[in-house]
Amino acid sequence: MSHKSAKDFFRPLAVGAPQPLREIPARPSRAIHFFDPSNEKMAAKIPAMVGTVDVLLGNLEDAVKADNKVAAREGLVRIAQDTDFGPTQLWTRINALDSPWVLDDLTTLVPAIGEKLDVIMVPKVQGAEDIHYVDRILAQLEAKAGITRPILVHAILETARGVANVEEICGASPRMQGLSLGPADLAADRKMKTTRVGGGHPGYLVREDAPRDADGGYLYDADRFRFQQDLWHYTMAKMVDACATHGVYPYWGPFGDIKDTVACEDQFRNAFLLGCVGAWSLHPVQIEIANRVFSPSVEDIAHARRVVAAMGDGTGAVMIDGKMEDDASLKQCLVLVELAEELAAIDPVLKATYDAIETPEA
Ligand SMILES: CCC(=O)SCCNC(=O)CCNC(=O)[C@H](O)C(C)(C)COP(=O)(O)OP(=O)(O)OC[C@H]1O[C@@H](n2cnc3c(N)ncnc32)[C@H](O)[C@@H]1OP(=O)(O)O
Ligand SMILES: O=CC(=O)O
Ligand SMILES: [Mg+2]
């Protein structure tokens, strides 16, 4: 928990810094699309991607070669200054707080493109102290540059200590926009014995009981079903609870097997069903997957609207298709209906799809 008193929580941390937000706006962010601003081929594609993806993120940290750190920072400044982002958010991922690059990242980006930067993603966050550091320096830089609205902060949950401190991280600052689960660094930090970027592992499984022979002996050699388990369930659920408690947004992070679009979709859908609002896209092919998976389906919206219509003032119990619906299932339906409305406001194709759903009689 923050050590600030409640009355000071929403006070700017530097004279002249913008007033902190009291609520994080629910802006669609189904795909956070990563690009390396020092990679000319990738960078050239960014202006045309505006409007096709909810968030474009200029990555300065891992996956950018050490020799290219300055070029990436300068490339991001150039792209941000030259591009009209319209409805698309612009985020960046700065280098780690213990790296030789992060101070220059912050002191360069905020004055140059602070008005255009919606969110700064901070990697390898360990506890509230990391957020407090970023919070204060951002306030100082915003004040100096005359930035008129606060730049929000997003933390990556990718260390064991970060997971242990997840609640205090979410509540460390009114700038906290959300958290992403970073499975690659987290696996390394925990000393998990995997070599992948997200996804399951064939060795992490539960096996069907061995059948018995006529004398009741176990047939251990028999063919038995194996059910691969989810390595990330505990962390994702813990992250979602911490985010919901503090009014910030949870995200799945990267899925590294770019060619396995089916497993990527599964990973994203698990995150969606468990409460996440989006995931990272590392390659253009993952944008469509995230946009589809993190938008409520036509079937879910049709059902949710039926429940809303049938529930009248929102109290009591009704039967729909043999199932009991009441105040609590109505609230779940409203989560989907409200998300659909937010997405329809920025996605005309989705709006037309949702508008075409027949609305039931009340
Ligand atoms: C693991 C923990 C983490 O920190 S994950 C986050 C850090 N990693 C990243 O940000 C990775 C970002 N993505 C990439 O670097 C590339 O997509 C990787 C995975 C290396 C694949 O690149 P490549 O072999 O060029 O793919 P490709 O030949 O299929 O590319 C086709 C065209 O699309 C482009 N492209 C590729 N990725 C992006 C991207 N993220 N954003 C925009 N454009 C992208 C390629 O440059 C290529 O362009 P062209 O057709 O040759 O002109
Ligand atoms: O930064 C992301 C990760 O998985 O590590
Ligand atoms: Mg990482």
Side-chain angles (χ1 to χ4, degrees):
M1 277 292 141
S2 165
H3 298 298
K4 269 183 264 180
S5 66
K7 76 175 175 31
D8 289 334
F9 192 70
F10 291 103
R11 192 168 282 182
L13 288 178
V15 175
Q19 190 66 42
L21 299 182
R22 287 187 172 256
E23 202 169 327
I24 300 301
R27 296 187 67 184
S29 41
R30 295 164 291 184
I32 302 170
H33 182 73
F34 275 58
F35 66 94
D36 173 353
S38 72
N39 177 322
E40 281 176 19
K41 263 188 172 176
M42 247 190 236
K45 294 197 157 43
I46 298 310
M49 295 176 86
V50 168
T52 68
V53 61
D54 295 340
V55 178
L56 285 165
L57 179 145
N59 178 34
L60 307 182
E61 199 225 8
D62 293 357
V64 175
K65 284 185 86 59
D67 286 350
N68 293 346
K69 293 289 185 185
V70 175
R73 190 190 297 136
E74 287 173 355
L76 177 58
V77 169
R78 220 171 18 253
I79 292 166
Q81 286 173 340
D82 293 351
T83 309
D84 176 358
F85 287 91
T88 300
Q89 297 183 59
L90 176 67
W91 295 20
T92 185
R93 177 169 79 169
I94 56 172
N95 284 289
L97 298 180
D98 62 355
S99 76
W101 305 292
V102 66
L103 193 58
D104 288 340
D105 291 344
L106 289 166
T107 57
T108 303
L109 295 180
V110 176
I113 58 169
E115 285 291 3
K116 282 191 158 176
L117 265 184
D118 293 291
V119 176
I120 292 182
M121 185 182 272
V122 185
K124 301 175 177 68
V125 170
Q126 302 273 16
E129 72 279 8
D130 288 341
I131 302 300
H132 293 160
Y133 169 78
V134 174
D135 199 8
R136 179 77 75 174
I137 196 167
L138 281 180
Q140 292 167 341
L141 292 168
E142 286 167 344
K144 192 168 174 205
I147 307 288
T148 52
R149 52 104 182 94
I151 300 168
L152 300 180
V153 169
H154 180 110
I156 311 181
L157 199 58
E158 54 181 351
T159 67
R161 192 154 88 78
V163 175
N165 292 333
V166 62
E167 297 216 10
E168 67 166 38
I169 291 169
C170 288
S173 160
R175 286 185 200 275
M176 280 301 298
Q177 180 275 341
L179 288 187
S180 286
L181 199 163
D185 271 301
L186 182 56
D189 195 59
R190 282 175 168 165
K191 301 198 185 331
M192 290 167 65
K193 308 302 181 293
T194 54
T195 56
R196 301 170 172 210
V197 176
H201 192 289
Y204 193 71
L205 55 82
V206 171
R207 193 181 299 265
E208 185 189 19
D209 283 359
R212 296 187 183 224
D213 61 20
D215 302 323
Y218 286 103
L219 297 168
Y220 292 112
D221 289 341
D223 239 2
R224 292 185 263 163
F225 286 115
R226 285 166 302 162
F227 304 92
Q228 206 171 307
Q229 305 291 296
D230 182 359
L231 286 164
W232 305 109
H233 179 76
Y234 151 77
T235 315
M236 187 137 65
K238 188 168 172 159
M239 173 179 76
V240 168
D241 281 346
C243 287
T245 301
H246 289 276
V248 308
Y249 297 100
Y251 299 77
W252 176 259
F255 187 82
D257 194 343
I258 308 288
K259 299 281 179 211
D260 194 348
T261 51
V262 175
C264 176
E265 179 165 340
D266 292 337
Q267 180 88 77
F268 286 5
R269 185 167 291 103
N270 287 349
F272 175 67
L273 288 170
L274 216 56
C276 292
V277 297
W280 300 3
S281 144
L282 305 184
H283 186 280
V285 76
Q286 294 183 333
I287 295 174
E288 183 277 327
I289 301 172
N291 282 353
R292 180 161 39 81
V293 170
F294 287 97
S295 305
S297 67
V298 165
E299 293 73 28
D300 277 348
I301 293 304
H303 172 73
R305 286 188 188 161
R306 275 182 78 194
V307 175
V308 172
M311 279 295 292
D313 74 352
T315 63
V318 295
M319 282 282 271
I320 296 181
D321 297 340
K323 293 184 185 136
M324 190 280 300
E325 308 285 349
D326 71 359
D327 314 45
S329 59
L330 171 67
K331 285 178 196 155
Q332 294 174 61
C333 292
L334 289 173
V335 168
L336 290 164
V337 168
E338 282 163 18
L339 175 58
E341 282 167 6
E342 283 157 18
L343 295 172
I346 60 134
D347 185 331
V349 176
L350 211 49
K351 179 170 165 27
T353 308
Y354 292 145
D355 284 351
I357 300 171
E358 259 179 58
T359 310
E361 297 292 313

